[in-house]
Amino acid sequence: MKVALIQQSFKGSKEAMISDSVTKIKEAKREGARLVLLQELHQSEYFCQSEDTKYFEYAKDFDKDIEFWSEVAKDNSIVLVTSLFEQRAMGLYHNSAVVFDSDGKLAGKYRKMHIPDDPGFYEKFYFTPGDLGFEPIDTSIGRLGVLVCWDQWYPEAARIMALKGAEVLLYPTAIGWFDEDTQDEKSRQLESWITIQRSHAIANGLPLLSCNRVGFEEDKSKVLNGIRFWGSSFVCGPQGEILAQAPTDKEVIIYANIDINRTKEVRDIWPFLRDRRIDAYEDILKRYCN
Amino acid sequence: MKVALIQQSFKGSKEAMISDSVTKIKEAKREGARLVLLQELHQSEYFCQSEDTKYFEYAKDFDKDIEFWSEVAKDNSIVLVTSLFEQRAMGLYHNSAVVFDSDGKLAGKYRKMHIPDDPGFYEKFYFTPGDLGFEPIDTSIGRLGVLVCWDQWYPEAARIMALKGAEVLLYPTAIGWFDEDTQDEKSRQLESWITIQRSHAIANGLPLLSCNRVGFEEDKSKVLNGIRFWGSSFVCGPQGEILAQAPTDKEVIIYANIDINRTKEVRDIWPFLRDRRIDAYEDILKRYCN
């Protein structure tokens, strides 16, 4: 099954972003992709670089956005994983991934469970943590374990998706460098981001797709300079083997063929799920053991 | 703090293995190491390639083995992590890591919790799963999260050690290739083994040491040809960055300097522990969610 990841830079407006995404989804379809994964909050800039109530405007058309992307999925007859800013009520917002089946039907929604808050990534101001749990989403091409960005650092999230029968793990994401950091620090950050996600594929014997944004976005509050999103979107197989990877500095659509049936092969001979010590994992549910 | 990992091949007898280990521990001490990690079941061949009751003999001197390695730790004034075959009662055995403080005192014991059983690795015949849980071991140089081999595939194990205050993760291990596998498959296996362990360092912000055996050991039962242990023992830092790595095919002592204080630096800016959704992890305790 061919999948496509669309790695984009910000183009100045929602209209420009949508237009670019639609063009590239059509291209992915022509290339034979059956699933398209978009990057985190692909309709806008990564606005969480500063805390400003004006950005809540971006969430107000959530229902219309859903209608729009449903049409795109249907028009292209493709399974589409979007990442949208959801206004749930006045003053209550989520960072949500919405999945459409190839007939345009809303297949399911995932609300980002782990919300970061670090300099330049002030997400706790914008998004309340998800309350839908780690529930895979069924589509005509398989059961998708959709998680978002910061979730990628948590083996617990990937594990629960796997235990609930996810056949693929998918991460829309937005992560990058500060230019001020040393080259060594940048390398360690990028490598750790790739490594931890590959490890979720390995621990659970599942293919994994991670779609990141690319390019520099300035911090409009001028507190920091801005974020250089490091691209590097990738697809790996159930042994964590890289099947396709995007560059750090270019817009690109990457493609890979994933084989959901390889999970059985890999798990049958390296049967990690068989030997889990579920009798001894209770402390996982604690904040800290002191 | 300088640490040493002793990657060895099997030398035909317990006496030869012990003599080699002691010589190399002395060398590591001369080089300034304060902690030495030995490979899994370092006193013998990897006997789990076949199921034969004669190998239970190897476990009978567990108490004497403890006395012996305690002396070695004391003589060299070094923290020593050993991996021993423990006879707990007649017909009841464990794959146990025993840790000695630099004064020779038995600091603690960990009984391998996840026991594999695959062709060539028939450990379920020999070892009953550990019943001591995931408890770090306090020593004069820090709190050690000692796990063994198959445990390395389980993020749960590393996480619990971290939540209990482990300052370093350590894995004695014995893993290798079958010569019959393709080069691609061998690469995927080695890479996945390195990747999953680096991911535990990353997820928990901890340095990690993994000491594997090296060299070919034939399957005396002649069912399979044997295992070519792939060495590649390594040390990584709390961002998963490789600090030292051994070759795949040579005996070697590798050294690295680890800085336990870097954990705070790394965790303070990438605070994964802060945002864990402990309210939503309950399914981790299930075998499977169906």
Side-chain angles (χ1 to χ4, degrees), chain A residues 112-119 124 129-131 133-135 150 153-157 159-160 162-166 175 185 188-196 198-200 202-203 230 239-241 262 267-290, chain B residues 112-119 124 129-131 133-135 150 153-157 159-160 162-166 175 185 188-196 198-200 202-203 230 239-241 262 267-290:
Chain A
K112 186 173 181 174
M113 290 285 283
H114 300 95
I115 306 295
D117 196 289
D118 312 301
K124 288 194 195 295
D131 59 349
F134 304 101
E135 289 291 340
W150 194 239
W153 301 101
Y154 296 86
E156 293 92 342
R159 178 69 94 202
I160 293 173
L163 294 178
K164 293 192 170 184
I175 188 167
E185 176 60 21
R188 286 194 296 269
Q189 291 181 0
L190 174 57
E191 264 283 300
S192 69
W193 175 80
I194 295 168
T195 301
I196 193 109
R198 290 175 66 197
S199 84
H200 304 325
I202 295 163
W230 65 45
Q239 292 171 297
E241 72 280 17
R262 237 175 73 70
R267 284 188 184 167
D268 279 356
I269 192 64
W270 281 15
F272 306 142
L273 293 187
R274 181 192 63 193
D275 296 329
R276 294 178 68 243
R277 290 296 304 272
I278 54 173
D279 60 309
Y281 291 161
E282 208 159 331
D283 287 326
I284 292 271
L285 304 184
K286 296 193 179 141
R287 180 66 62 211
Y288 200 74
C289 302
N290 65 356
Chain B
K112 186 172 182 175
M113 290 286 282
H114 300 95
I115 306 295
D117 195 291
D118 312 299
K124 288 194 195 295
D131 58 351
F134 303 101
E135 290 291 341
W150 194 238
W153 301 101
Y154 296 85
E156 293 92 342
R159 178 68 94 203
I160 293 173
L163 295 178
K164 293 193 170 184
I175 188 168
E185 175 61 21
R188 286 194 297 269
Q189 292 181 1
L190 174 57
E191 265 283 300
S192 69
W193 175 79
I194 295 167
T195 301
I196 192 108
R198 290 175 65 198
S199 84
H200 305 325
I202 295 164
W230 65 45
Q239 292 170 298
E241 72 280 20
R262 239 175 74 69
R267 283 188 185 167
D268 279 355
I269 191 65
W270 281 15
F272 305 142
L273 293 187
R274 182 192 62 191
D275 297 328
R276 294 179 66 243
R277 290 297 304 272
I278 54 173
D279 60 309
Y281 291 162
E282 208 160 334
D283 287 326
I284 292 270
L285 305 184
K286 295 191 179 144
R287 181 65 63 210
Y288 200 75
C289 302
N290 64 356

Side-chain angles (χ1 to χ4, degrees), chain B residues 11 46 51 56 78 110 153 160 164 167 203 221 267:
Chain B
K11 292 168 193 339
Y46 181 71
E51 300 192 357
F56 289 120
I78 207 158
Y110 167 80
W153 301 101
I160 293 173
K164 293 193 170 184
E167 295 170 296
S221 74
R267 283 188 185 167

Side-chain angles (χ1 to χ4, degrees), chain B residues 195-259:
Chain B
T195 301
I196 192 108
Q197 292 181 90
R198 290 175 65 198
S199 84
H200 305 325
I202 295 164
N204 299 294
L206 293 175
L208 181 149
L209 286 55
S210 181
C211 186
N212 189 26
R213 57 173 71 209
V214 72
F216 185 77
E217 297 185 24
E218 68 168 338
D219 174 4
K220 287 171 195 157
S221 74
K222 304 289 180 199
V223 173
L224 299 170
N225 292 322
I227 301 171
R228 192 167 302 278
F229 293 96
W230 65 45
S232 307
S233 301
F234 70 93
V235 178
C236 71
Q239 292 170 298
E241 72 280 20
I242 299 286
L243 301 176
Q245 183 147 33
T248 56
D249 57 356
K250 284 191 185 61
E251 290 198 305
V252 68
I253 309 177
I254 61 164
Y255 299 96
N257 281 301
I258 60 170
D259 176 4

